[in-house]
Amino acid sequence: MTTHQINRRSWLQTSATALTSVAAWKSPIIANAAAMRTNAKACILLWMGGGPSQFETFSPKPDHANGGETTVTSTAVSGIQISSQLPATAAAMKDLCLIRSVHGPEGSHPRASYVSHTGYLPTASVKHPTIGAHVVQHIGDQESELPSFVHIGRSRGVFSAGLLGVEYDPFILNSANQMPANTELSTSRDRYVRRLGLLENLEDDGSTEGSRQFVKANRNLYGKASRLVLSPQMKTFDITQERSDVRSSYGDGNFAAGCLMARRLVEAGVTFIEVASSNWDTHFDNASRTDTLCQEVDKPYAQLLADLKQRGLLDTTLVIWMGEFGRTPRINSRAGRDHYPRAFNVALAGAGVQGGQVIGATDASGNNITDQPVSVNDLLTTIYDALGIDSFHENISRIGRPIQIVEDGEIIDGVF
Amino acid sequence: MNCYSLSLRHTMTKHLNLVFFLAVWCFSPLVSFAQSPIEIAQKIDELLVSETIVSQTNICDDETFLRRAFFDIVGQPPSLEDVLVYGLEPSVNKRSLLIEFLLTDKTYGANWSRYWRDVIMFRRTNDQSLLGVAALESYLTDALNNGVGWDRIAVDFITAKGDIREDGRAVFIAAQQGRPEETVSEISRIFLGIQIQCAQCHDHPTDRWKQEQFHELVAFFPRVALRPQQEPRSFVVTATDFVGRRRTANANNRFVGTLEHTMPNLAEPTQPGQVMTPKFFVSGQTLPAGTSDAVRRDSLARWITSPDNPWFAKAVTNRVWAELVGEGFYEPVDDIGPDRTPSAPKTMDYLATEFTLSGYDLKWLMQTIMSTQAYQRSSLDRRNYDQIPFQANTIQPLRSDQLFDSMMSVFEISDAGSEGAGQGPRRPQSPRNVFADVFGYDPNDPRGDVTVSIPQSLAMMNSTFINEQIQARQGTMLSRLLQEVQSDRAAVQELYLRVFSRRPNRKELNTSLAYIIQVANRGESFEDLLWALLNSAEFKTRR
């Protein structure tokens, strides 16, 4: 462990800036409010890597040239319309809180992805922890035999626990259709256990006075790793154990398998799961490519919400649908849309989020936010709040700087 | 002891032949340095004793020294032959001879180029710069092997231009996408050990730097830009002296320079900020507005590497000392000034001054530090903060490349030929890079904070690659050993020598032999033994 709860008083004594004193004043109130309301236990982040087009998903503009050919569909909530490319999601609208007015500070993929996951611009001096790392540090089950933070799918950037240390790094599944790397025993179970015993005995024989720390850390680690691979819970990662009708209800493809795996993991007590969908970077042929991507995502997304609800898990699980930015209102000469961080969409569900509503709006052209702008940091603050985590909590960087989980974020009005 | 059977067999000594070296040395003069490293080392030990009250002078044994020196200079363990030959060598100054010899081996440059690559690349804010990693390694390897001074290397990085796949010097700037704020922060952090970027948004809370001084440093770099290039896909570090294009935060992946740097007005972000002129915060030297990019960067590089700037020598001296002795005078190694107190200030200053006089010669620095008793002491776990420093050499986790090369060496295989793979973010990965994804750590971080992870132990325990190599079937190191050494006792001893460069102690030998009897299958029991040795803490550390 490399972080420490900051002693706020000593920090304030050395540097009483307005910002930190506000933080110190506000923090307990917000933390208590969150703790009273939420009993959230888990979070699933559905990451739309590349930046999904808001016009072809949650903010269609059929009456404006910028809207292109995309048509709209009514949803389960009267008055709310979304793109007709998302029929299953439209039917699940009662559980969804759409935010149509998110704006971010960055237009390049890696930088915007970093901001969306950490709340900070990338710097060389501090590696900021990703959402999942903060979440498992605060509400993860330390006794769990399964890793608390699982990332499913190859995406462009997998962000780390940074200054929180590798203990909170994601456990990566390249695909939900395969068992995680290096967890299948290379020998019989008996021989594996026998080998572990030999390792332990030889380390006892060989360790000298001066090398106990490393031997102890190694033993601790091998204990955890071998408990994982020998755990009966490892079968959670085996998606073929799921009934075939349940598998087909999620649809086909890696993202569908990822959503089903996420539900299996939540059921098994895993705290944070990120499921990555990629290829939303539609600089050309935006409409047709987004259509394909929507087909990959629509059914699994809606089924995940329905399945969690049916199992009584949606009240305690926050489900986030987001990408790093949106796409330009103007359609470019290659029938594509480029990067647009000034107005994009995020959808939240579960964990006390009021479904069946839309927050924020853009004008008819989609260029400008006209109602309730939501910064990425507001969004992150709201996510942490839904999970009962104090976003003013400070971790200490390697060189002793206090780093708040999120700076300058406000809880979005009306989400809860 | 079981030396006899060894010479009968061809062992793959990858790069060293100590027999040759020791024989040749008898007839050849020593390389001579301006300042004799051994004399300087003695003074360092005297100073260190006076400053830290070193209570013990327990010097490590030759086996430990050999393995430590190999890891520290060439990044891999000694071969079985090296261990045996070195043990038999009677020369009293064989430690000095070993250090000198290893510093002439080309693997020295490769090992330390990987260290500096990690120092730079672990802090990248731009993954596209990964395209230039092979060129960066190649530049550093040559520079280090050829004895290029640290000042020249710093100048090369600060003034670099060009295609990052062709010229590794440009990768330093590309790692920060050419963004002036991040680039100068890294220059200051790596070459001066000063974390001035904390003053980016406000006056530094604990140091003396002011926000203005940070932005005056940024003003050396506004004209730098990173341009993408197609066919072949790459990125080029350039400078714009005539066209001052506006920098836009939201442009698609592009980053272009401006003619002058503007300090943002943080109180009123919508108001135009203040145009800054270049000024180096250490010396106060300045340049006027309108100065060309070439003059700006040449001047900064010259001022940073000037012998009048003490931070330049201190930063690298402290880093190399920390890598070798296991603990820096300052920790973390990249946060040394100006208001930090080193654990042995006189020793630190003396070593840094002598390093400056050597012409910033990194081989001289290595040889000097490794000649000290401080380096040659027995190793211990990292001390607690309330204990006196430098009572022992500190045990360190191996860096990913060192661990990978150790395995290659134990298995008697090589990854030569696969180095070309995996140079870009989306190319097929070489085995070394796959390994680094799991085992790599940021060498800038205090070594005590480097923690081991579950995926690391899963890879060591269960990966197909390792489990194939530890099998006793035809073609592996283990099969050759078992075939040629009939006695179990001798085979256990040789396996220990191969994996740990030492013999087993009595208890280890007895445990191993008892296990072999219990399993009652020679091949299987030795596979398990090799598995256990590779998975032990000792294999993964340098002590």
Side-chain angles (χ1 to χ4, degrees), chain B residues 132-391:
Chain B
V133 164
L136 173 65
E137 281 180 34
S138 149
Y139 160 73
L140 280 166
T141 302
D142 290 347
L144 294 167
N145 280 334
N146 295 333
V148 171
W150 181 240
D151 53 337
R152 183 66 235 173
I153 293 174
V155 169
D156 281 354
F157 281 134
I158 295 168
T159 61
K161 276 186 184 180
D163 185 331
I164 63 168
R165 290 175 70 161
E166 282 161 17
D167 190 339
R169 293 175 291 192
V171 178
F172 187 100
I173 290 171
Q176 309 304 331
Q177 213 180 0
R179 289 171 187 265
E181 290 87 351
E182 293 303 331
T183 307
V184 302
S185 299
E186 282 294 274
I187 289 172
S188 178
R189 185 182 73 84
I190 294 173
F191 295 119
L192 304 172
I194 293 173
Q195 304 257 353
I196 196 170
Q197 80 286 348
C198 301
Q200 181 163 358
C201 313
H202 49 77
D203 290 345
H204 199 296
T206 51
D207 281 336
R208 62 183 73 154
W209 313 124
K210 301 286 174 251
Q211 191 184 351
E212 199 172 76
Q213 290 177 295
F214 172 74
H215 288 282
E216 286 165 347
L217 185 66
V218 179
F220 285 94
F221 265 73
R223 301 179 175 211
V224 171
L226 188 66
R227 299 209 189 293
Q229 177 185 286
Q230 306 294 334
E231 309 296 331
R233 179 167 167 73
S234 189
F235 294 86
V236 182
V237 173
T238 58
T240 46
D241 271 330
F242 303 106
V243 194
R245 266 187 285 176
R246 183 190 295 272
R247 261 198 276 148
T248 54
N250 292 335
N252 289 351
N253 294 322
R254 288 295 299 276
F255 181 76
V256 295
T258 56
L259 286 182
E260 300 295 338
H261 173 65
T262 307
M263 177 167 76
N265 184 338
L266 292 166
E268 295 289 337
T270 53
Q271 298 299 308
Q274 184 188 347
V275 174
M276 306 303 289
T277 49
K279 181 175 180 184
F280 181 40
F281 64 97
V282 171
S283 62
Q285 288 158 293
T286 60
L287 292 172
T291 306
S292 71
D293 171 73
V295 172
R296 283 181 208 230
R297 290 201 276 151
D298 283 346
S299 306
L300 180 63
R302 220 172 43 246
W303 298 340
I304 281 180
T305 56
S306 159
D308 296 332
N309 169 17
W311 301 107
F312 181 67
K314 276 190 189 182
V316 69
T317 307
N318 182 56
R319 255 184 197 278
V320 175
W321 177 276
E323 284 304 309
L324 297 175
V325 180
E327 175 181 347
F329 298 106
Y330 298 91
E331 297 267 355
V333 291
D334 55 9
D335 187 18
I336 74 172
D339 298 319
R340 304 282 184 275
T341 312
S343 51
K346 285 183 202 149
T347 316
M348 163 89 256
D349 284 348
Y350 176 70
L351 180 58
T353 306
E354 292 299 325
F355 172 64
T356 307
L357 293 173
S358 79
Y360 302 118
D361 181 339
L362 293 168
K363 287 190 185 185
W364 177 92
L365 183 61
M366 297 271 295
Q367 194 178 1
T368 301
I369 296 172
M370 293 178 75
S371 302
T372 62
Q373 293 192 355
Y375 175 81
Q376 297 194 7
R377 289 200 177 90
S378 294
S379 59
L380 287 177
D381 281 324
R382 191 158 300 279
R383 70 179 171 104
N384 292 325
Y385 286 107
D386 55 356
Q387 291 171 322
I388 302 166
F390 308 126
Q391 304 293 303

Side-chain angles (χ1 to χ4, degrees), chain A residues 223-299:
Chain A
K224 275 192 203 164
S226 54
R227 266 199 306 284
L228 169 68
V229 295
L230 295 172
S231 166
Q233 292 214 57
M234 274 306 288
K235 70 177 187 304
T236 311
F237 289 113
D238 182 1
I239 204 161
T240 61
Q241 305 227 341
E242 199 69 41
R243 290 205 326 260
S244 63
D245 59 317
V246 176
R247 289 190 73 178
S248 60
S249 73
Y250 274 80
D252 297 326
N254 276 331
F255 184 75
C259 286
L260 175 54
M261 181 60 71
R263 191 226 75 210
R264 288 176 64 80
L265 293 170
V266 167
E267 240 178 353
V270 173
T271 305
F272 193 96
I273 303 108
E274 179 160 350
V275 186
S277 163
S278 41
N279 300 321
W280 290 90
D281 193 20
T282 49
H283 287 285
F284 57 92
D285 296 339
N286 168 67
S288 65
R289 289 172 64 204
T290 306
D291 192 19
T292 310
L293 290 160
C294 283
Q295 283 175 37
E296 286 171 20
V297 165
D298 179 47
K299 189 176 171 185

Side-chain angles (χ1 to χ4, degrees), chain A residues 109-253:
Chain A
H109 293 290
R111 294 175 67 82
S113 303
Y114 187 93
V115 170
S116 309
H117 279 84
T118 67
Y120 289 86
L121 288 168
T123 67
S125 55
V126 178
K127 289 292 168 231
H128 302 96
T130 187
I131 309 171
H134 282 307
V135 171
V136 300
Q137 189 196 29
H138 287 268
I139 65 168
D141 174 7
Q142 308 301 329
E143 300 303 309
S144 169
E145 287 183 343
L146 293 179
S148 295
F149 176 8
V150 178
H151 179 105
I152 304 172
R154 276 273 177 216
S155 58
R156 212 146 148 171
V158 178
F159 297 96
S160 76
L163 62 92
L164 296 184
V166 292
E167 196 177 337
Y168 301 106
D169 270 345
F171 186 78
I172 298 170
L173 285 185
N174 288 332
S175 156
N177 288 311
Q178 288 163 12
M179 292 296 280
N182 301 321
T183 53
E184 284 174 73
L185 300 185
S186 49
T187 63
S188 71
R189 198 182 171 89
D190 285 349
R191 187 172 173 197
Y192 181 74
V193 172
R194 196 179 77 195
R195 276 182 173 181
L196 286 167
L198 177 64
L199 169 62
E200 190 166 332
N201 290 339
L202 288 175
E203 289 217 297
D204 279 341
D205 294 341
S207 72
T208 55
E209 197 62 42
S211 64
R212 294 253 162 84
Q213 278 176 22
F214 272 100
V215 171
K216 201 174 145 198
N218 198 51
R219 181 158 300 172
N220 185 7
L221 181 72
Y222 275 70
K224 275 192 203 164
S226 54
R227 266 199 306 284
L228 169 68
V229 295
L230 295 172
S231 166
Q233 292 214 57
M234 274 306 288
K235 70 177 187 304
T236 311
F237 289 113
D238 182 1
I239 204 161
T240 61
Q241 305 227 341
E242 199 69 41
R243 290 205 326 260
S244 63
D245 59 317
V246 176
R247 289 190 73 178
S248 60
S249 73
Y250 274 80
D252 297 326

Side-chain angles (χ1 to χ4, degrees), chain A residues 273-332:
Chain A
I273 303 108
E274 179 160 350
V275 186
S277 163
S278 41
N279 300 321
W280 290 90
D281 193 20
T282 49
H283 287 285
F284 57 92
D285 296 339
N286 168 67
S288 65
R289 289 172 64 204
T290 306
D291 192 19
T292 310
L293 290 160
C294 283
Q295 283 175 37
E296 286 171 20
V297 165
D298 179 47
K299 189 176 171 185
Y301 178 33
Q303 183 57 29
L304 173 65
L305 297 174
D307 204 2
L308 287 171
K309 198 171 183 177
Q310 199 220 327
R311 289 164 200 256
L313 293 168
L314 192 57
D315 289 342
T316 54
T317 306
L318 179 69
V319 183
I320 308 160
W321 182 102
M322 70 188 285
E324 64 266 43
F325 39 57
R327 308 206 73 85
T328 41
R330 227 179 69 99
I331 296 170
N332 69 25

Side-chain angles (χ1 to χ4, degrees), chain B residues 6 47 60 88 120 147 162 175 185 188 194-195 217 234 254 289 377 384 393 403 458 518 521:
Chain B
L6 301 170
L47 277 172
C60 68
L88 295 170
I120 297 165
S185 299
S188 178
I194 293 173
Q195 304 257 353
L217 185 66
S234 189
R254 288 295 299 276
R377 289 200 177 90
N384 292 325
N393 196 311
L403 188 57
L458 291 178
Q518 180 208 330
N521 175 328

